[in-house]
Amino acid sequence: MALKELVPGIGCLSRSQVYARHQLYKGRKTGIAPAEPETARTKVVQVGDKKNGATRLFPTSKAPHFYPAEDVRKPKY
């Protein structure tokens, strides 16, 4: 059943009637995503051998190669 408009752009139902008819009061059903465990920013790596070895911290993700200052145009003259 199509609802008619009183005049173009104005429907025959009030806001509350449209709200009830479209069942907006039920709300959206959104699921909650499970929380991901946080990964460490750095990892410890053993470098060298037993005599002169040491531990170093290495980042798990690389830094970006693009920096905002790179896209600034230089004047020609």
Side-chain angles (χ1 to χ4, degrees), residues 21-52:
R21 177 153 308 190
H22 287 271
Q23 298 180 356
L24 297 174
Y25 58 89
K26 290 186 177 180
R28 289 185 176 169
K29 294 182 165 82
T30 57
I32 299 172
E36 295 181 12
E38 293 185 19
T39 58
R41 293 183 145 207
T42 59
K43 68 177 181 178
V44 179
V45 177
Q46 184 74 24
V47 179
D49 58 355
K50 294 179 183 177
K51 286 187 178 180
N52 62 356

